[in-house]
Each structure stands twice: as C-alpha cells, then as structure tokens.
Amino acid sequence: MKSKFLFFILLISAGNLFAQVQNADSLNNKPKKENFADDWAALTKYQKENELLPPPNRKEKRVVFLGSSIFEFWKQKDPEYFTKNPYLDRGISGQISPQLLIRFRQDVINLKPKVVIILAGSNDIAGNTGHVTIDKIMDNIKSMAELARLHHIKVILCKYLPVYEYPWNKNIKAADIIINLNEKIAAYAKDRNYTILDYWTPLVDERKGQRAELTIDGVHPNLAGYKIMEEVTDAAVKKALKSRH
C-alpha cells in the first residue's frame, strides 16, 4: 500500500515537472517583439503602403508630399484632396529635416513621382536642441533637392507656414527665425530654378503668425487653412510640371 502511494506521488511530480518544462519551452519559443529602435526616421510607417502602391502609369503625374505633421494632418482633414488627385502624402508628425532626408529614397525616389514637394525646418527650430542652425536645415533641404533632380523629379520647395510661437515651446521666438529660413529657401530655389511654393504669405497675420481663423493652435492649419494651401499647391504643381528643370 505504501509503495503504491509513493508511486502515485512520483507520478504526480513527474507530471508537474513535464508541465513546467513544456511551459518553459513555450515561453522560450514565443516570438520576440521586433525592436525598431534603429528606425529613427520611421521608415516602417509607409513601408507596407509603398510596397502595395503600383508604379505610375504613363499619363500619371504623381506628386509626393514630404514633410511632417502639416502634411500628415492634411490628409486627415481633407482626404478627398489626395484621393481626387495623383498626390501621395508622406508626412510624419514631429520629424526633423535629417529624418526626411533618410526617408527620401524610400518615400520619394522609389515611388517614381513627377514632382516632390518638400516642406521642412519647423520641427528642427521647435525642438530647441541647441544644435540646429538655419544652415544645417538648408543642407538637408539641398541634399533632398539634389537627389530629386538626379532622379529626374521636379522639385517644389516650400516657404514654411507662419508661426508666432510653438505652444509646446514658447521660449523660441519662431516668427523671425521662420522668415529667415524662408528667405534662404527662396534664394536657393531661385538660384537652382526650383519651383517655390509660398505657404507663408496667404496665412500670415499682423504678428507674423498664422491667422487665427485658419489654424487650430497657431502652428497647424484647420480645414479652412488647408483649403487655401490647396489652391497655392495646385498652382505650384502646374508650374513645376511645365518647367524644364
């Protein structure tokens, strides 16, 4: 009787041990969560969408919008603008100009557009990291423009939208810095025969910020602001397509 009891205890122990081993094996074989720490420029955001995108047909005049939150929110506010036109929105909120440069091959060149619209610089300024200069922003914009021209893509460079101050960083006196950046962008565009797209002039108020009726926070436009941007954008696209450069 005693031996039967011991055998029963051993059988239960063996079963528990087997279950623990199986559980440990299942934990060890559990798929590891992929680490995207190296994807500083967020290439994964549009990777799948790009892969599913067919190449442009012969008559398609594809345009890529490359920028940060201004462009990303635009498609959210007025999706019809992008569905009724051959326009691809590749904006990622919060991105600075070196991140746009890293994404340029995947999110612009490989999509084979006729035109690219580059809107860059504001997040660099707003970040207040202490290392950003207008010249460094311009270096990244120039590199993107040169890559586009090398691949026979028409270039549109944007005068940035007016910003009086950033709600999240009011220590920065943004208005005059953006004016300075826009002057550099316009001069470079003129020198290289790139099309300039002026988002600053139709949106600016007397403080050199955005008109209150056209913005949600002094930085990002509302739908009325985007409607104004659509008018000047379409005109710039037509101009760029007609240009020889």
Side-chain angles (χ1 to χ4, degrees):
M1 184 74 178
K2 187 176 181 179
S3 61
K4 287 183 178 179
F5 179 73
L6 288 173
F7 176 76
F8 182 68
I9 295 297
L10 288 171
L11 190 63
I12 293 175
S13 300
N16 287 337
L17 180 62
F18 180 72
Q20 289 173 12
V21 170
Q22 275 194 320
N23 189 44
D25 285 343
S26 65
L27 287 174
N28 290 333
N29 293 328
K30 186 179 180 181
K32 291 183 179 179
K33 188 175 181 181
E34 194 168 355
N35 186 351
F36 290 105
D38 57 342
D39 189 15
W40 177 67
L43 290 164
T44 50
K45 181 174 177 68
Y46 292 111
Q47 184 177 357
K48 293 296 182 184
E49 190 173 337
N50 291 345
E51 289 171 357
L52 295 172
L53 186 71
N57 60 50
R58 289 180 61 188
K59 294 183 178 180
E60 182 180 346
K61 294 178 174 60
R62 179 175 290 177
V63 180
V64 173
F65 290 58
L66 186 74
S68 54
S69 57
I70 301 296
F71 280 172
E72 183 174 11
F73 297 167
W74 193 341
K75 191 173 182 179
Q76 297 170 13
K77 292 282 186 184
D78 193 8
E80 185 184 359
Y81 180 64
F82 292 90
T83 56
K84 73 179 182 181
N85 292 299
Y87 294 167
L88 299 177
D89 188 316
R90 291 298 180 266
I92 298 182
S93 182
Q95 287 210 330
I96 56 179
S97 59
Q99 291 174 304
L100 302 182
L101 178 56
I102 289 173
R103 289 201 292 123
F104 202 82
R105 181 167 298 277
Q106 175 188 283
D107 290 344
V108 180
I109 296 171
N110 292 351
L111 305 184
K112 302 186 182 304
K114 294 287 187 184
V115 179
V116 61
I117 301 175
I118 302 170
L119 180 65
S122 181
N123 283 320
D124 304 60
I125 295 166
N128 196 26
T129 59
H131 305 120
V132 173
T133 66
I134 296 297
D135 287 340
K136 287 182 178 179
I137 295 170
M138 285 305 304
D139 283 345
N140 292 318
I141 290 174
K142 290 174 182 178
S143 293
M144 288 186 276
E146 289 168 7
L147 280 169
R149 178 163 281 180
L150 182 66
H151 289 271
H152 310 291
I153 301 168
K154 310 276 190 181
V155 176
I156 296 177
L157 297 181
C158 302
K159 287 175 117 178
Y160 214 92
L161 290 67
V163 177
Y164 177 72
E165 65 181 12
Y166 297 102
W168 58 90
N169 198 344
K170 295 185 178 182
N171 293 325
I172 297 174
K173 306 304 179 187
D176 289 333
I177 300 174
I178 287 178
I179 290 172
N180 185 15
L181 173 63
N182 285 344
E183 288 173 350
K184 297 268 189 182
I185 290 171
Y188 173 69
K190 183 178 180 180
D191 182 61
R192 298 303 176 94
N193 292 314
Y194 296 133
T195 301
I196 190 73
L197 173 47
D198 184 2
Y199 287 140
W200 192 87
T201 301
L203 301 178
V204 71
D205 67 7
E206 67 282 354
R207 294 195 309 169
K208 304 175 188 173
Q210 276 180 59
R211 288 159 52 191
E213 70 275 17
L214 300 177
T215 182
I216 59 174
D217 58 3
V219 177
H220 302 92
N222 57 23
L223 182 58
Y226 279 125
K227 288 296 185 183
I228 291 173
M229 290 173 64
E230 288 168 12
E231 292 181 15
V232 293
T233 298
D234 290 342
V237 169
K238 288 180 182 178
K239 183 178 179 181
L241 288 170
K242 292 178 180 178
S243 72
R244 295 183 180 181
H245 300 278

